[in-house]
Amino acid sequence: MIDHTRTDVSLRVNEAFHRLSVDNRRTLLDLLREDLGLTGPKKGCDHGQCGACTVLCDDRRVLSCLTLAVAADATAVTTVEGLAAEGELRPIQEAFVRLDGFQCGFCTPGQICSAVGMLAEHAAGWPSAVTAGDAPDRVPELDETEVRERMSGNLCRCGAYPSIVRAVLETAARQGGAA
Amino acid sequence: MREFAYRRAARVSDALTAVAEDAGARYLGGGTNLVDLMKRGVEEPTRLVDVRRLPLDGVQVAPDGGLVVGATTTNSDVAAHPEVRRRFPALALAVLSGASGQLRNVATVGGNLLQRTRCGYFADLSRPCNKRVPGSGCAAIGGVHPNHAVLGHSEHCVATHPSDMAVALAAFDAVVRYQTLDGAGEIPLSRFYPPVGDRPDRETALPPGALITAVVLPGSAVSPRSRYRKVRERASYAFAIVSVAAALDVRDGVVHDVRIALGGVASRPWRAGSAEAVLRGARPTADGFRTCADEALSDAKPLPDNGYKVPLARNLIRAVLAELAATEENR
Amino acid sequence: MSPEPAPGAVGASRPRIEGPLKVTGAARYAADVPLPDLAHGWMVTATTSRGRVRDVDASTALAMPGVLGVLDHRNAPRLDQGAGNYFGPDGSLQLLQHEVIPYAGWPVALVVAETPEQARAAAAALRVTCDAEPHDLDLGLEHPAARPASTAFGPEADTGDLDAELAASAVVVEERYRTPEESHCAVEPHAATVWWDSGDLYAVDSNQGAFSVSEVLAALWSIDRERVHVRSEHVGGGFGGKGACGPPVILGSLASRRFGRPVRIVMTRAQVFETTSSRPPTDQLLTIGADADGRLRAVRHRAAYALSPLAEYIEACTEQTKVLYAAPAIRTQLVAVPLDVLPPASMRGPGATPGSFALESAIDEVAERLDLDPVELRLRNQPAVGPVSGLPFSTRRLVACLREGARRFGWAARDRRPRSRREGALLIGSGVATTSFGAGVFPSTASITAETDGTFTVSVGASDIGTGARTALTAVAADSLGVGTEKIRIRIGDSDLGAAWGAGGSRGTTSWSFAITEAAKKLRENPGDPAGPVTATVDTTTMIDFRPGGERQTFSAVFAEVAVDPATGEVRVRRLLGLFAVGRVINPLLARSQVVGGMVMGLSMALHEESVRDARTGRLVNGDFAGYHIASHADVPDVEADFVPDYEPQDPSGFNGLGEIGTAGTAAAIANAVWHATGTRHRVLPVRLDRVLEPGRAAVREP
Ligand SMILES: Cc1cc2nc3c(=O)[nH]c(=O)nc-3n(C[C@H](O)[C@H](O)[C@H](O)COP(=O)(O)OP(=O)(O)OC[C@H]3O[C@@H](n4cnc5c(N)ncnc54)[C@H](O)[C@@H]3O)c2cc1C
Ligand code: SF4
Ligand code: FES
Ligand code: FES
């Protein structure tokens, strides 16, 4: 059988349907940025070490830099651009602005997508490394320690961590979990 | 990264055939290790066979009270599974202390077992490395190696195995199930990673082309009484310097069963069998834990830069055992 | 003390103007601008620390799909060799101009292709052969090549009779401290999108000062500065690492010229570590003599730092020693050691950050030897005037920082004996450090146009690298024009807006706001014809008094509490509090973010950061985010920061900079807290867990 180095993929991105032929080497991050012009997801390291490229893939937070575009075929992707309607902000976005949960803003799309995915994981009762050893049936309460551990895959060199944690906790409290 | 072909396997047999056809083919799980290494030019597959959507995911309870964890189950799903948390808490903790939420959401059980070492020279194509290019030498031995092995290494390679999950699996006598075109097979974790010797490039006992299909965790009374502790350079999102998976079952004031496995210290998850023997049948005292920890590290041969790992591993074993003993007392 | 400013936009907390763009992904950074016909460049770098390129064999690469070409020192367009930076000529700008390799990571070729994947694959297929020569990377005070550092920032201190004062001292502390090479680690890698059009050079670049980058590019290409157009609307962090004209914009200009297409170069993370400047390592010796009652008699501070023979640079580790404490004898000796490294760059609080680690650790050691409270020791040695300059301080609110910080931290309850506090198996300790950081102003140009609809367009070549410059300058403009902020439209980040100091040296905001207030004054004095738009432009070059009759400094006091697990060596910072005296604060919300971010970087420096090189090759062995750890969410407690009331009389609006001071004192405060917890002095950064476990590793091993 002849092998090809390009593949046709179909995926939904921020509710829009796309079908395109991609170089098998292309990552989901580069597909979003180069093919679709969605430059919200950022490339901070390209090796899974910073979290700036975080997007939601079938509602789970993932690193788009280590996801091959071909492997994301037939999934639904949400980037930071798709979290709210044009001209509007989702509560977590509004909280980031109001509480100054960023400075340069480069890690911010990743932090926000990660927070959205993380809050859903928590709402689904997922444990974290700080609580998993406790009672296995307990859903851990979301406090600062929990948020910090769960968000640790998103580095911020500007050091906006304290206000990011505040924004996440405030959003969680106001929304009863949903971001 | 070289150009490569991509196939998504719909069935296990398709995956096996697609890999058998092409000597340069590799399975693709979550891709969190393979894609990373492809970008660095360390891995250069000619074909990727995507196995992540094979129906090999999920966690089943076995009749013996153990678990069968499908090879494509994501790390997140393993850690969140109520039966994993209840029956094997150290496994849930180990998985959760690895990588980050985003990575665990795609990383698979099979891929986690087969992730490659984090030795910096392994990923640096300009330096010799016996694991990457057999016979080229080992840049780490005369180089920078504060986070390399203190146990079970050889003069050919001193790298450590990076997986946290595998450390917990080692403690629980897990068995790896695989499939080849010739049929199915099983390898206990204790034999899954062969000793380094002079072949650091040969990292597992899997036959060529084998697809990992599941990991079996035998049921036991000790596994629910387990912890995992990981020491690293920062509080999260970092590989282990030293980690310990341990389990302790105390009955009538005597250690009935105990499990100890170490991470970050050897080319494979390091089961400290002789140290366990020291404790079995003894009283769970601080002195006993000290003797046990000393025994676990008695064969340690630290390198010039990593002597600190020996006391660290000892202290960590004692701390985790003490913590487990305290829980046993309150049981 | 401070003139009571009229209530206005300055002083009010407001979220960032560009906030909505940043939280929705709409803000475009250097690698984000869409362009038709874009080609992608991929750097190939040297793997030896010194040597020569013998050959670049591009035959395989050129035959690969999508490859447009390969540039190396033989075929790249020529650049002018006189181009330089702030300190003068800079050989590290001469990319692909010769075969000499001056440091590991030096770009030796650039592959240009239609897609990034094709460029990366072709770069991997390039066969570069080099002849390696012996290299030297060993920094030390005793290095035979050590030479006095440039005194461009001011002369060395040599007051009083040092030997006599030391001889008369009741205690003398003499200790050596080391800080490692550190990397800026802005999360945005250096990137540029570059094109030529009709002889003009255009770049969208990630930098800290678009104007100065345009000047360097103009010099490199020997063209008029006006023909170089650099835009940097949003920059994903800099911290000093993007102060220079970076490799992507230089290589991009070469490639775009050569291939006649716009070219984008995004450095990989590994390249950012190896091929962009870092904070140099330092080796410092502090000798402090004091009376039994805690009065300092003598302070001597010797410091060595690494630099490159390619360019001058000053890591002014000894600056604070000239400012912080009164002592009859003060001597500083700063030496530079040329090594086979790339020229270092200022990194958040250059000089002050490694310098204060040494000075403030040594002061803590004096307190320990005298069995005196370290806050009290500091209070006893406050100078009335600059202890070396003899000049009055224009404002010095350090005591207020110390006292208020101590009160909020609950310092009074502290038992100053080490290892005096435990929680279960953990050892708890607390520590303090104070700092000063020079403030000032540099020339800048600003224009304000009064539009016919009553709004104002303010244009200044400022950069917002996360500092909140856009928001702060809007407030300054509104107040100086006497209108609300909604009337202000601000334009920054563009070299076409005129000469301006970059975001660096904690002098960006003061420099730009000075120009804006002057332009506003001019506009109000000459309102012009209200029927049409009226523009006032001011260049502050001739207005700045560079020899003012006073010391202009900002100050801080940082308090830290740590928990140490003696079994594992793990150190966690549980509390971090900073009090700052930084003049009048423009926007407390954003200012707090700045100093908190600075303290987080200081925490990261204290516990995690160090660039590790293999002595055999000089190459980094931890040049990525999984090897070079910066603090993650889980490492950072809820950092508290506040400002004491302050007003800088040398600034027309009372401002001083605050971008860097947060970083400076934090590492010493944390190291002092680790001593208090464990009884071990950590004189080598970072406070690694192996050093906690084996205390012998925490001291500098004499060469
Ligand atoms: C920044 C970062 C930090 C990390 N930190 C940690 C950490 O702290 N602790 C830790 O344990 N891990 C850590 N990891 C590693 C991570 O856990 C692994 O990358 C992941 O588990 C690999 O799983 P995967 O499914 O993505 O594997 P892939 O990358 O898809 O595959 C890895 C290997 O397994 C093979 N493979 C995959 N599935 C199968 C199968 N079913 N049968 C046979 N072969 C198969 C592939 O061919 C490949 O050789 C980290 C990774 C990153 C990037
Ligand atoms: S330790 Fe092993 S992986 Fe590392 S360089 Fe040596 S041989 Fe290669
Ligand atoms: S860019 Fe994907 S994790 Fe850094
Ligand atoms: S806001 Fe700059 S890196 Fe997080």
Side-chain angles (χ1 to χ4, degrees), chain C residues 298-377:
Chain C
V299 182
R300 185 179 64 173
H301 191 170
R302 293 177 58 202
Y305 63 93
L307 53 42
S308 156
L310 295 176
E312 184 55 89
Y313 174 76
I314 305 172
E315 184 74 17
C317 299
T318 52
E319 277 309 297
Q320 294 170 85
T321 309
K322 303 172 192 167
V323 177
L324 271 181
Y325 299 105
I330 299 177
R331 185 183 298 170
T332 62
Q333 288 165 292
L334 185 66
V335 297
V337 181
L339 298 172
D340 298 310
V341 294
L342 80 170
S346 297
M347 177 167 158
R348 210 166 192 177
T353 298
S356 86
F357 167 66
L359 176 64
E360 289 297 281
S361 294
I363 289 288
D364 211 60
E365 302 209 36
V366 172
E368 175 194 350
R369 295 276 293 278
L370 292 169
D371 193 19
L372 199 66
D373 179 84
V375 169
E376 182 55 34
L377 175 68

Side-chain angles (χ1 to χ4, degrees), chain B residues 8-316:
Chain B
R8 176 171 304 136
R11 285 188 306 248
V12 169
S13 57
D14 298 345
L16 295 172
T17 315
V19 162
E21 279 174 359
D22 181 343
R26 302 292 298 274
Y27 296 114
L28 176 71
T32 59
N33 189 233
L34 188 53
V35 174
D36 178 359
L37 291 172
M38 286 164 66
K39 288 183 185 182
R40 298 170 195 255
V42 175
E43 301 261 21
E44 296 198 296
T46 49
R47 179 188 286 184
L48 287 186
V49 178
D50 191 342
V51 298
R52 207 158 83 86
R53 296 187 207 178
L54 287 178
L56 291 176
D57 65 324
V59 178
Q60 255 85 49
V61 179
D64 72 341
L67 298 174
V68 181
V69 182
T72 60
T73 316
T74 65
N75 288 346
S76 294
D77 288 338
V78 172
H81 199 283
E83 295 306 327
V84 174
R85 295 178 65 190
R86 196 168 296 132
R87 293 166 201 247
F88 299 91
L91 175 60
L93 272 168
V95 170
L96 289 168
S97 69
S100 68
Q102 292 95 311
L103 286 159
R104 295 191 297 268
N105 274 346
V106 294
T108 62
V109 168
N112 190 316
L113 285 174
L114 296 189
Q115 62 174 301
R116 317 284 313 264
T117 183
R118 291 279 157 172
C119 169
Y121 299 103
F122 172 71
D124 179 352
L125 300 186
S126 74
R127 306 310 313 279
C129 168
N130 287 327
K131 196 185 266 301
R132 181 167 29 79
V133 184
S136 61
C138 170
I141 289 174
V144 182
H145 50 244
N147 202 12
H148 284 64
V150 295
L151 281 164
H153 48 72
S154 79
E155 73 271 30
H156 302 281
C157 177
V158 293
T160 59
H161 195 272
S163 170
D164 289 296
M165 180 187 81
V167 180
L169 295 182
F172 296 134
D173 293 326
V175 174
V176 179
R177 275 191 192 156
Y178 66 86
Q179 194 124 23
T180 65
L181 284 174
D182 299 330
E186 289 193 346
I187 311 174
L189 206 82
S190 55
R191 287 196 286 110
F192 187 76
Y193 302 105
V196 213
D198 57 358
R199 288 300 302 274
D201 58 309
R202 215 170 40 195
E203 292 176 352
T204 74
L206 282 174
L211 175 74
I212 298 177
T213 53
V215 171
V216 182
L217 287 150
S220 85
V222 76
S223 63
R225 300 148 173 214
S226 61
R227 298 289 293 181
Y228 187 75
R229 256 200 74 189
K230 175 176 178 182
V231 172
R232 37 184 157 176
E233 270 179 16
R234 66 180 169 202
S236 188
Y237 201 23
F239 286 92
I241 291 176
V242 174
S243 66
V244 172
L248 187 70
D249 181 358
V250 178
R251 300 190 187 171
D252 306 323
V254 175
V255 174
H256 179 72
D257 196 1
V258 58
R259 306 290 177 85
I260 302 168
L262 299 172
V265 295
S267 62
R268 55 194 149 116
W270 191 263
R271 179 75 179 267
S274 63
E276 294 172 1
V278 167
L279 269 193
R280 244 179 233 112
R283 301 207 159 267
T285 61
D287 276 350
F289 296 156
R290 183 197 311 269
T291 318
C292 163
D294 289 348
E295 173 60 28
L297 276 298
S298 58
D299 287 339
K301 289 189 187 57
L303 307 164
D305 292 350
N306 69 1
Y308 73 97
K309 279 196 177 187
V310 177
L312 172 53
R314 276 199 208 108
N315 294 349
L316 202 57

